[in-house]
Amino acid sequence: MPHFLDINKTDPAALRQMIDIARQLKDARDGQPKAAPDAEQPLAGRMVALIFEKPSTRTRVSFDVGARQMGGQTMVLSGADMQLGHGETIADTARVLSRYVDMIMIRTFEEATLLEMAEHSSVPVINGLTNRSHPCQIMADILTYEEHRGPIKGRKVVWSGDGNNVFASFAQAAGRFGFDLTFTGPAPLDPEMAFVEEARAAGARVEIERDPAKAVAGADLVVTDTWVSMHDPQSARERRHNQLRGYQVNAALMAHAKPDALFMHCLPAHRDDEATSEVMDGPRSVIFDEAENRLHAQKAIMRWCLGT
Ligand code: CP
Ligand code: NVA
């Protein structure tokens, strides 16, 4: 079953093909991401369930619009309103949904929920973010980097901030797409070492550098994300802000990167915390291209899952 659960669980050739198809799908729309149906309707007659146990703007809207552009239909389900949120098992939910729909996208907390859904589903399951990873985001980010700067292979990507779920998917992608990755952040917020070691085992150069200025030196791409993720307790907010303040992406930090370095943030952002508005709205920022590219990347992912 071609589930899209994580970058490191997907064949590198398939990932490359998805990025290339996403680019073709984008080019075919000729700068009109919102325009009505695609010429090809590879999801005609297909129903996609989009389950959210956490808030979402981009994932929700881009999957919904993308499926519809390809002729599919969607239903957006809140986990809290389903029996899933009231004690029905994930396995039973997966078996039931598989009788009604052709594909399931789920945004949830525990990775185990996603994996159990996939194990018991007879239709493809897509990871729309868990506490541990966010693979669809990184597919959009690679598409974004490559459309601006060409192949990401061999480039230096620097992550400044919290070693969170989005970083984890970047680490998985470093191994799959062959770019170098430097993490800079405070030791208590280091990523899980398993992600770093796996990327290294896959041949990627992954470094941890506490000094953000040193880390960013020679970067082709600088990335950050919120300092407090949806699964982090709000009680940790002040501590995290204190730990991460020195890792803000601002003009002074970007000055250490290559002159043509890009800036990315998956959004939603807390402006002037993890990144200044000057950087977010500056000439090197591609944050809204990333957001648009969720649409194109996920259309390619959905087609791959359904073999259409
Ligand atoms: N980047 C991202 O996944 O955004 P949403 O939380 O709005 O879906
Ligand atoms: N790290 C963030 C990403 C949001 C898209 C979170 O998990 O809340």
Side-chain angles (χ1 to χ4, degrees), residues 81-144:
D81 295 337
M82 297 171 70
Q83 299 293 6
L84 182 63
H86 301 273
E88 185 165 22
T89 67
I90 298 153
D92 287 350
T93 305
R95 291 185 187 109
V96 170
L97 290 180
S98 298
R99 301 285 179 108
Y100 300 133
V101 304
D102 301 289
M103 187 156 50
I104 299 167
M105 191 288 313
I106 180 165
R107 164 168 289 194
T108 188
F109 288 86
E110 301 303 327
E111 182 181 48
T113 305
L114 169 80
L115 299 181
E116 203 178 334
M117 182 74 78
E119 186 185 341
H120 297 281
S121 170
S122 58
V123 300
V125 173
I126 298 175
N127 176 358
L129 179 146
T130 70
N131 297 358
R132 286 193 88 212
S133 66
H134 196 5
C136 292
Q137 180 67 52
I138 274 49
M139 294 296 279
D141 291 354
I142 289 171
L143 174 62
T144 306

Short mmCIF file of all heavy atoms in Angstrom, two decimals, residues 81-144:
data_model
loop_
_atom_site.label_atom_id
_atom_site.label_comp_id
_atom_site.label_asym_id
_atom_site.label_seq_id
_atom_site.Cartn_x
_atom_site.Cartn_y
_atom_site.Cartn_z
N ASP A 81 -14.70 15.57 16.73
CA ASP A 81 -16.11 15.31 16.41
C ASP A 81 -16.35 13.88 15.96
O ASP A 81 -17.49 13.47 15.74
CB ASP A 81 -16.57 16.25 15.28
CG ASP A 81 -16.56 17.70 15.73
OD1 ASP A 81 -16.62 17.93 16.95
OD2 ASP A 81 -16.47 18.58 14.86
N MET A 82 -15.28 13.12 15.77
CA MET A 82 -15.44 11.73 15.35
C MET A 82 -15.48 10.83 16.59
O MET A 82 -15.04 11.23 17.67
CB MET A 82 -14.25 11.31 14.47
CG MET A 82 -14.14 12.10 13.17
SD MET A 82 -12.60 11.76 12.32
CE MET A 82 -12.85 10.06 11.75
N GLN A 83 -15.92 9.60 16.43
CA GLN A 83 -15.90 8.65 17.56
C GLN A 83 -14.45 8.37 17.99
O GLN A 83 -14.20 8.00 19.13
CB GLN A 83 -16.60 7.34 17.19
CG GLN A 83 -18.06 7.50 16.82
CD GLN A 83 -18.94 7.93 18.00
OE1 GLN A 83 -18.45 8.22 19.09
NE2 GLN A 83 -20.25 7.98 17.76
N LEU A 84 -13.54 8.62 17.07
CA LEU A 84 -12.10 8.51 17.37
C LEU A 84 -11.74 9.32 18.61
O LEU A 84 -10.92 8.91 19.43
CB LEU A 84 -11.33 9.05 16.16
CG LEU A 84 -9.82 9.05 16.12
CD1 LEU A 84 -9.29 7.62 16.16
CD2 LEU A 84 -9.33 9.74 14.84
N GLY A 85 -12.37 10.49 18.74
CA GLY A 85 -12.11 11.36 19.89
C GLY A 85 -12.87 10.93 21.13
O GLY A 85 -12.78 11.58 22.17
N HIS A 86 -13.66 9.86 21.00
CA HIS A 86 -14.50 9.41 22.13
C HIS A 86 -14.29 7.93 22.39
O HIS A 86 -15.23 7.24 22.80
CB HIS A 86 -15.97 9.74 21.84
CG HIS A 86 -16.18 11.20 21.63
ND1 HIS A 86 -16.43 12.08 22.67
CD2 HIS A 86 -16.12 11.97 20.51
CE1 HIS A 86 -16.53 13.31 22.19
NE2 HIS A 86 -16.35 13.26 20.89
N GLY A 87 -13.11 7.44 22.09
CA GLY A 87 -12.77 6.09 22.53
C GLY A 87 -12.77 5.01 21.47
O GLY A 87 -12.32 3.90 21.72
N GLU A 88 -13.31 5.27 20.27
CA GLU A 88 -13.23 4.22 19.23
C GLU A 88 -11.76 4.05 18.84
O GLU A 88 -11.01 5.03 18.76
CB GLU A 88 -14.05 4.60 17.98
CG GLU A 88 -14.08 3.48 16.95
CD GLU A 88 -15.15 3.63 15.87
OE1 GLU A 88 -15.61 4.77 15.65
OE2 GLU A 88 -15.51 2.60 15.27
N THR A 89 -11.36 2.82 18.62
CA THR A 89 -9.94 2.61 18.36
C THR A 89 -9.54 3.15 16.98
O THR A 89 -10.38 3.28 16.08
CB THR A 89 -9.56 1.12 18.40
OG1 THR A 89 -10.20 0.47 17.30
CG2 THR A 89 -9.94 0.47 19.72
N ILE A 90 -8.27 3.42 16.86
CA ILE A 90 -7.74 3.90 15.58
C ILE A 90 -7.90 2.79 14.53
O ILE A 90 -8.27 3.05 13.39
CB ILE A 90 -6.27 4.31 15.75
CG1 ILE A 90 -6.18 5.46 16.75
CG2 ILE A 90 -5.63 4.69 14.42
CD1 ILE A 90 -4.88 5.52 17.48
N ALA A 91 -7.64 1.56 14.95
CA ALA A 91 -7.74 0.44 14.02
C ALA A 91 -9.15 0.32 13.47
O ALA A 91 -9.35 0.16 12.24
CB ALA A 91 -7.32 -0.85 14.72
N ASP A 92 -10.15 0.39 14.33
CA ASP A 92 -11.54 0.29 13.86
C ASP A 92 -11.89 1.47 12.97
O ASP A 92 -12.59 1.33 11.95
CB ASP A 92 -12.51 0.20 15.04
CG ASP A 92 -12.45 -1.17 15.73
OD1 ASP A 92 -11.81 -2.09 15.17
OD2 ASP A 92 -13.04 -1.31 16.82
N THR A 93 -11.43 2.65 13.36
CA THR A 93 -11.70 3.85 12.54
C THR A 93 -11.10 3.66 11.15
O THR A 93 -11.75 3.97 10.13
CB THR A 93 -11.08 5.10 13.21
OG1 THR A 93 -11.58 5.20 14.55
CG2 THR A 93 -11.40 6.36 12.44
N ALA A 94 -9.89 3.14 11.09
CA ALA A 94 -9.23 2.93 9.79
C ALA A 94 -10.01 1.94 8.94
O ALA A 94 -10.21 2.15 7.73
CB ALA A 94 -7.80 2.42 10.03
N ARG A 95 -10.48 0.86 9.56
CA ARG A 95 -11.22 -0.17 8.79
C ARG A 95 -12.53 0.39 8.27
O ARG A 95 -12.94 0.10 7.14
CB ARG A 95 -11.50 -1.38 9.69
CG ARG A 95 -10.24 -2.15 10.06
CD ARG A 95 -10.65 -3.40 10.86
NE ARG A 95 -9.48 -4.09 11.38
CZ ARG A 95 -9.14 -4.11 12.67
NH1 ARG A 95 -9.87 -3.50 13.57
NH2 ARG A 95 -8.07 -4.76 13.06
N VAL A 96 -13.19 1.20 9.09
CA VAL A 96 -14.48 1.77 8.68
C VAL A 96 -14.28 2.79 7.56
O VAL A 96 -14.93 2.72 6.51
CB VAL A 96 -15.19 2.41 9.90
CG1 VAL A 96 -16.40 3.23 9.45
CG2 VAL A 96 -15.60 1.34 10.91
N LEU A 97 -13.34 3.70 7.76
CA LEU A 97 -13.12 4.73 6.73
C LEU A 97 -12.71 4.12 5.41
O LEU A 97 -13.09 4.61 4.35
CB LEU A 97 -12.05 5.74 7.20
CG LEU A 97 -12.45 6.68 8.33
CD1 LEU A 97 -11.30 7.61 8.69
CD2 LEU A 97 -13.69 7.51 7.97
N SER A 98 -11.98 3.01 5.48
CA SER A 98 -11.53 2.34 4.24
C SER A 98 -12.70 1.83 3.41
O SER A 98 -12.55 1.59 2.20
CB SER A 98 -10.60 1.16 4.57
OG SER A 98 -9.45 1.60 5.22
N ARG A 99 -13.86 1.64 4.05
CA ARG A 99 -15.05 1.20 3.29
C ARG A 99 -15.74 2.36 2.57
O ARG A 99 -16.60 2.14 1.72
CB ARG A 99 -16.07 0.54 4.24
CG ARG A 99 -15.56 -0.67 4.99
CD ARG A 99 -15.46 -1.89 4.09
NE ARG A 99 -14.95 -3.03 4.83
CZ ARG A 99 -15.71 -4.08 5.19
NH1 ARG A 99 -16.99 -4.13 4.90
NH2 ARG A 99 -15.15 -5.09 5.84
N TYR A 100 -15.41 3.59 2.98
CA TYR A 100 -16.10 4.75 2.41
C TYR A 100 -15.24 5.60 1.49
O TYR A 100 -15.75 6.24 0.57
CB TYR A 100 -16.56 5.71 3.53
CG TYR A 100 -17.50 5.18 4.56
CD1 TYR A 100 -17.26 5.41 5.91
CD2 TYR A 100 -18.67 4.50 4.20
CE1 TYR A 100 -18.14 4.98 6.89
CE2 TYR A 100 -19.56 4.05 5.17
CZ TYR A 100 -19.28 4.29 6.51
OH TYR A 100 -20.14 3.86 7.47
N VAL A 101 -13.96 5.72 1.83
CA VAL A 101 -13.13 6.70 1.13
C VAL A 101 -11.95 6.03 0.44
O VAL A 101 -11.59 4.89 0.77
CB VAL A 101 -12.63 7.83 2.07
CG1 VAL A 101 -13.79 8.52 2.77
CG2 VAL A 101 -11.61 7.32 3.07
N ASP A 102 -11.33 6.76 -0.48
CA ASP A 102 -10.23 6.20 -1.28
C ASP A 102 -8.85 6.56 -0.74
O ASP A 102 -7.84 6.01 -1.18
CB ASP A 102 -10.36 6.70 -2.73
CG ASP A 102 -11.68 6.28 -3.33
OD1 ASP A 102 -11.84 5.09 -3.59
OD2 ASP A 102 -12.57 7.14 -3.49
N MET A 103 -8.81 7.53 0.19
CA MET A 103 -7.52 7.97 0.72
C MET A 103 -7.79 8.75 2.01
O MET A 103 -8.83 9.40 2.13
CB MET A 103 -6.81 8.86 -0.31
CG MET A 103 -5.40 9.24 0.04
SD MET A 103 -4.45 9.67 -1.45
CE MET A 103 -5.51 10.83 -2.29
N ILE A 104 -6.84 8.65 2.95
CA ILE A 104 -6.98 9.34 4.23
C ILE A 104 -5.74 10.18 4.48
O ILE A 104 -4.61 9.69 4.37
CB ILE A 104 -7.11 8.31 5.40
CG1 ILE A 104 -8.34 7.44 5.21
CG2 ILE A 104 -7.13 9.03 6.75
CD1 ILE A 104 -8.37 6.21 6.14
N MET A 105 -5.95 11.45 4.79
CA MET A 105 -4.85 12.30 5.26
C MET A 105 -5.16 12.58 6.72
O MET A 105 -6.30 12.94 7.05
CB MET A 105 -4.83 13.61 4.45
CG MET A 105 -3.62 14.48 4.62
SD MET A 105 -3.42 15.37 6.17
CE MET A 105 -5.00 16.08 6.47
N ILE A 106 -4.17 12.39 7.60
CA ILE A 106 -4.42 12.65 9.02
C ILE A 106 -3.33 13.52 9.62
O ILE A 106 -2.13 13.29 9.39
CB ILE A 106 -4.61 11.34 9.83
CG1 ILE A 106 -4.88 11.67 11.31
CG2 ILE A 106 -3.46 10.37 9.66
CD1 ILE A 106 -5.43 10.52 12.13
N ARG A 107 -3.76 14.53 10.37
CA ARG A 107 -2.86 15.33 11.21
C ARG A 107 -3.19 14.96 12.64
O ARG A 107 -4.34 15.13 13.08
CB ARG A 107 -3.10 16.82 10.98
CG ARG A 107 -2.50 17.69 12.09
CD ARG A 107 -2.46 19.15 11.76
NE ARG A 107 -1.48 19.43 10.73
CZ ARG A 107 -1.04 20.66 10.42
NH1 ARG A 107 -1.51 21.71 11.07
NH2 ARG A 107 -0.15 20.83 9.48
N THR A 108 -2.19 14.46 13.36
CA THR A 108 -2.46 13.96 14.70
C THR A 108 -1.29 14.27 15.63
O THR A 108 -0.33 14.94 15.25
CB THR A 108 -2.77 12.45 14.62
OG1 THR A 108 -3.20 12.00 15.90
CG2 THR A 108 -1.56 11.63 14.18
N PHE A 109 -1.41 13.81 16.84
CA PHE A 109 -0.37 14.04 17.85
C PHE A 109 0.70 12.95 17.74
O PHE A 109 1.76 13.16 17.19
CB PHE A 109 -0.99 14.10 19.26
CG PHE A 109 -1.78 15.37 19.48
CD1 PHE A 109 -3.12 15.46 19.10
CD2 PHE A 109 -1.18 16.49 20.05
CE1 PHE A 109 -3.84 16.63 19.28
CE2 PHE A 109 -1.88 17.67 20.23
CZ PHE A 109 -3.22 17.74 19.85
N GLU A 110 0.37 11.77 18.27
CA GLU A 110 1.37 10.71 18.36
C GLU A 110 1.62 10.05 16.99
O GLU A 110 0.67 9.75 16.26
CB GLU A 110 0.91 9.63 19.35
CG GLU A 110 0.67 10.14 20.75
CD GLU A 110 1.89 10.82 21.36
OE1 GLU A 110 3.03 10.40 21.05
OE2 GLU A 110 1.70 11.79 22.13
N GLU A 111 2.86 9.80 16.72
CA GLU A 111 3.21 9.07 15.49
C GLU A 111 2.53 7.71 15.47
O GLU A 111 2.13 7.21 14.40
CB GLU A 111 4.73 8.91 15.42
CG GLU A 111 5.20 8.22 14.18
CD GLU A 111 6.72 8.05 14.18
OE1 GLU A 111 7.27 7.60 15.21
OE2 GLU A 111 7.33 8.37 13.17
N ALA A 112 2.38 7.11 16.66
CA ALA A 112 1.77 5.78 16.75
C ALA A 112 0.35 5.78 16.17
O ALA A 112 -0.09 4.78 15.58
CB ALA A 112 1.74 5.31 18.20
N THR A 113 -0.35 6.89 16.30
CA THR A 113 -1.72 6.98 15.75
C THR A 113 -1.67 6.87 14.23
O THR A 113 -2.45 6.12 13.61
CB THR A 113 -2.36 8.32 16.16
OG1 THR A 113 -2.31 8.44 17.58
CG2 THR A 113 -3.79 8.43 15.67
N LEU A 114 -0.76 7.61 13.64
CA LEU A 114 -0.59 7.58 12.17
C LEU A 114 -0.25 6.16 11.71
O LEU A 114 -0.84 5.63 10.75
CB LEU A 114 0.53 8.54 11.78
CG LEU A 114 1.01 8.45 10.33
CD1 LEU A 114 0.05 9.19 9.41
CD2 LEU A 114 2.42 9.03 10.19
N LEU A 115 0.70 5.53 12.42
CA LEU A 115 1.16 4.21 11.99
C LEU A 115 0.06 3.16 12.14
O LEU A 115 -0.09 2.27 11.31
CB LEU A 115 2.42 3.82 12.77
CG LEU A 115 3.63 4.76 12.58
CD1 LEU A 115 4.83 4.27 13.38
CD2 LEU A 115 3.99 4.91 11.09
N GLU A 116 -0.71 3.29 13.21
CA GLU A 116 -1.81 2.33 13.42
C GLU A 116 -2.89 2.53 12.36
O GLU A 116 -3.47 1.57 11.85
CB GLU A 116 -2.38 2.52 14.83
CG GLU A 116 -3.07 1.28 15.33
CD GLU A 116 -3.59 1.46 16.75
OE1 GLU A 116 -3.02 2.27 17.52
OE2 GLU A 116 -4.58 0.78 17.08
N MET A 117 -3.13 3.79 12.03
CA MET A 117 -4.11 4.09 10.98
C MET A 117 -3.66 3.42 9.67
O MET A 117 -4.45 2.77 8.99
CB MET A 117 -4.21 5.61 10.82
CG MET A 117 -5.21 6.11 9.81
SD MET A 117 -6.94 5.96 10.33
CE MET A 117 -7.14 7.33 11.43
N ALA A 118 -2.39 3.57 9.36
CA ALA A 118 -1.87 3.01 8.11
C ALA A 118 -1.92 1.48 8.13
O ALA A 118 -2.27 0.84 7.13
CB ALA A 118 -0.43 3.49 7.89
N GLU A 119 -1.59 0.91 9.28
CA GLU A 119 -1.55 -0.55 9.38
C GLU A 119 -2.93 -1.17 9.12
O GLU A 119 -3.04 -2.23 8.51
CB GLU A 119 -1.05 -0.95 10.78
CG GLU A 119 -0.84 -2.44 10.92
CD GLU A 119 -0.45 -2.84 12.34
OE1 GLU A 119 0.01 -1.95 13.12
OE2 GLU A 119 -0.63 -4.02 12.67
N HIS A 120 -3.96 -0.50 9.57
CA HIS A 120 -5.31 -1.09 9.49
C HIS A 120 -6.15 -0.52 8.36
O HIS A 120 -7.31 -0.91 8.20
CB HIS A 120 -6.01 -0.93 10.84
CG HIS A 120 -5.31 -1.67 11.93
ND1 HIS A 120 -5.44 -3.02 12.11
CD2 HIS A 120 -4.42 -1.25 12.85
CE1 HIS A 120 -4.66 -3.41 13.12
NE2 HIS A 120 -4.03 -2.35 13.58
N SER A 121 -5.59 0.39 7.59
CA SER A 121 -6.34 0.98 6.48
C SER A 121 -6.06 0.20 5.20
O SER A 121 -4.92 -0.18 4.95
CB SER A 121 -5.88 2.44 6.32
OG SER A 121 -6.40 2.96 5.12
N SER A 122 -7.08 0.00 4.40
CA SER A 122 -6.85 -0.64 3.11
C SER A 122 -6.78 0.41 2.00
O SER A 122 -6.77 0.06 0.82
CB SER A 122 -7.91 -1.70 2.83
OG SER A 122 -9.18 -1.10 2.86
N VAL A 123 -6.75 1.69 2.38
CA VAL A 123 -6.54 2.76 1.40
C VAL A 123 -5.30 3.56 1.85
O VAL A 123 -4.92 3.51 3.03
CB VAL A 123 -7.77 3.70 1.27
CG1 VAL A 123 -8.99 2.90 0.83
CG2 VAL A 123 -8.06 4.46 2.57
N PRO A 124 -4.65 4.30 0.93
CA PRO A 124 -3.44 5.04 1.30
C PRO A 124 -3.68 6.06 2.40
O PRO A 124 -4.73 6.71 2.45
CB PRO A 124 -3.03 5.74 0.00
CG PRO A 124 -3.66 4.96 -1.08
CD PRO A 124 -4.95 4.43 -0.51
N VAL A 125 -2.70 6.18 3.29
CA VAL A 125 -2.74 7.14 4.39
C VAL A 125 -1.57 8.12 4.20
O VAL A 125 -0.44 7.70 3.91
CB VAL A 125 -2.62 6.43 5.75
CG1 VAL A 125 -2.49 7.43 6.90
CG2 VAL A 125 -3.85 5.53 5.98
N ILE A 126 -1.86 9.40 4.38
CA ILE A 126 -0.85 10.46 4.23
C ILE A 126 -0.67 11.15 5.58
O ILE A 126 -1.64 11.48 6.26
CB ILE A 126 -1.28 11.49 3.16
CG1 ILE A 126 -1.41 10.81 1.80
CG2 ILE A 126 -0.30 12.66 3.11
CD1 ILE A 126 -1.95 11.72 0.70
N ASN A 127 0.59 11.38 5.94
CA ASN A 127 0.94 12.08 7.18
C ASN A 127 0.82 13.59 6.97
O ASN A 127 1.62 14.19 6.25
CB ASN A 127 2.38 11.69 7.55
CG ASN A 127 2.91 12.42 8.78
OD1 ASN A 127 2.23 13.26 9.38
ND2 ASN A 127 4.14 12.09 9.17
N GLY A 128 -0.15 14.20 7.62
CA GLY A 128 -0.34 15.65 7.53
C GLY A 128 0.26 16.39 8.70
O GLY A 128 -0.13 17.51 8.97
N LEU A 129 1.19 15.76 9.40
CA LEU A 129 1.95 16.26 10.56
C LEU A 129 1.62 15.41 11.79
O LEU A 129 0.46 15.12 12.07
CB LEU A 129 1.65 17.74 10.88
CG LEU A 129 2.37 18.39 12.09
CD1 LEU A 129 2.68 19.87 11.82
CD2 LEU A 129 1.54 18.26 13.36
N THR A 130 2.69 15.02 12.46
CA THR A 130 2.57 14.44 13.80
C THR A 130 3.55 15.21 14.70
O THR A 130 4.29 16.08 14.21
CB THR A 130 2.97 12.95 13.84
OG1 THR A 130 4.39 12.84 13.65
CG2 THR A 130 2.24 12.12 12.80
N ASN A 131 3.59 14.84 15.96
CA ASN A 131 4.56 15.47 16.86
C ASN A 131 5.99 15.25 16.37
O ASN A 131 6.88 16.00 16.73
CB ASN A 131 4.45 14.87 18.27
CG ASN A 131 3.11 15.13 18.91
OD1 ASN A 131 2.25 15.80 18.32
ND2 ASN A 131 2.91 14.62 20.11
N ARG A 132 6.20 14.19 15.58
CA ARG A 132 7.57 13.82 15.18
C ARG A 132 7.97 14.22 13.77
O ARG A 132 9.17 14.27 13.48
CB ARG A 132 7.78 12.31 15.31
CG ARG A 132 7.92 11.84 16.73
CD ARG A 132 8.43 10.42 16.77
NE ARG A 132 9.87 10.32 16.76
CZ ARG A 132 10.55 9.33 16.20
NH1 ARG A 132 9.92 8.38 15.55
NH2 ARG A 132 11.86 9.30 16.27
N SER A 133 7.03 14.47 12.88
CA SER A 133 7.45 14.78 11.51
C SER A 133 6.37 15.51 10.73
O SER A 133 5.20 15.55 11.13
CB SER A 133 7.85 13.49 10.77
OG SER A 133 6.73 12.66 10.61
N HIS A 134 6.80 16.07 9.60
CA HIS A 134 5.88 16.83 8.72
C HIS A 134 6.37 16.69 7.27
O HIS A 134 6.83 17.65 6.66
CB HIS A 134 5.86 18.29 9.16
CG HIS A 134 4.72 19.10 8.62
ND1 HIS A 134 3.70 18.56 7.86
CD2 HIS A 134 4.44 20.43 8.72
CE1 HIS A 134 2.85 19.51 7.54
NE2 HIS A 134 3.27 20.65 8.04
N PRO A 135 6.26 15.49 6.72
CA PRO A 135 6.89 15.24 5.41
C PRO A 135 6.31 16.05 4.26
O PRO A 135 7.06 16.42 3.35
CB PRO A 135 6.68 13.73 5.20
CG PRO A 135 5.52 13.37 6.07
CD PRO A 135 5.62 14.27 7.27
N CYS A 136 5.01 16.32 4.26
CA CYS A 136 4.43 17.08 3.13
C CYS A 136 5.05 18.47 3.05
O CYS A 136 5.26 19.01 1.95
CB CYS A 136 2.91 17.19 3.29
SG CYS A 136 2.06 15.63 3.12
N GLN A 137 5.34 19.05 4.21
CA GLN A 137 5.94 20.38 4.24
C GLN A 137 7.30 20.37 3.55
O GLN A 137 7.62 21.27 2.76
CB GLN A 137 6.10 20.84 5.70
CG GLN A 137 6.72 22.22 5.82
CD GLN A 137 5.81 23.30 5.27
OE1 GLN A 137 4.67 23.39 5.65
NE2 GLN A 137 6.32 24.13 4.36
N ILE A 138 8.07 19.35 3.83
CA ILE A 138 9.44 19.34 3.30
C ILE A 138 9.42 19.05 1.80
O ILE A 138 10.28 19.56 1.06
CB ILE A 138 10.32 18.33 4.11
CG1 ILE A 138 10.90 19.01 5.35
CG2 ILE A 138 11.48 17.82 3.29
CD1 ILE A 138 10.00 19.78 6.22
N MET A 139 8.45 18.31 1.33
CA MET A 139 8.34 18.13 -0.13
C MET A 139 8.07 19.48 -0.80
O MET A 139 8.66 19.81 -1.83
CB MET A 139 7.22 17.13 -0.45
CG MET A 139 7.51 15.72 0.03
SD MET A 139 8.94 14.99 -0.80
CE MET A 139 8.16 14.47 -2.34
N ALA A 140 7.20 20.28 -0.18
CA ALA A 140 6.92 21.62 -0.72
C ALA A 140 8.17 22.49 -0.64
O ALA A 140 8.45 23.29 -1.55
CB ALA A 140 5.78 22.27 0.05
N ASP A 141 8.95 22.33 0.43
CA ASP A 141 10.14 23.16 0.61
C ASP A 141 11.22 22.81 -0.42
O ASP A 141 11.91 23.69 -0.93
CB ASP A 141 10.69 23.00 2.03
CG ASP A 141 9.75 23.61 3.07
OD1 ASP A 141 8.75 24.24 2.68
OD2 ASP A 141 10.01 23.44 4.28
N ILE A 142 11.34 21.54 -0.73
CA ILE A 142 12.34 21.15 -1.74
C ILE A 142 11.91 21.66 -3.12
O ILE A 142 12.72 22.20 -3.87
CB ILE A 142 12.58 19.63 -1.70
CG1 ILE A 142 13.36 19.35 -0.41
CG2 ILE A 142 13.34 19.13 -2.94
CD1 ILE A 142 13.53 17.94 -0.04
N LEU A 143 10.64 21.51 -3.41
CA LEU A 143 10.11 22.08 -4.66
C LEU A 143 10.42 23.58 -4.71
O LEU A 143 10.86 24.11 -5.75
CB LEU A 143 8.59 21.84 -4.72
CG LEU A 143 7.81 22.47 -5.86
CD1 LEU A 143 8.28 21.93 -7.20
CD2 LEU A 143 6.31 22.20 -5.69
N THR A 144 10.23 24.27 -3.61
CA THR A 144 10.45 25.72 -3.56
C THR A 144 11.92 26.06 -3.76
O THR A 144 12.27 26.95 -4.54
CB THR A 144 9.96 26.28 -2.20
OG1 THR A 144 8.61 25.88 -1.99
CG2 THR A 144 10.06 27.79 -2.16
#
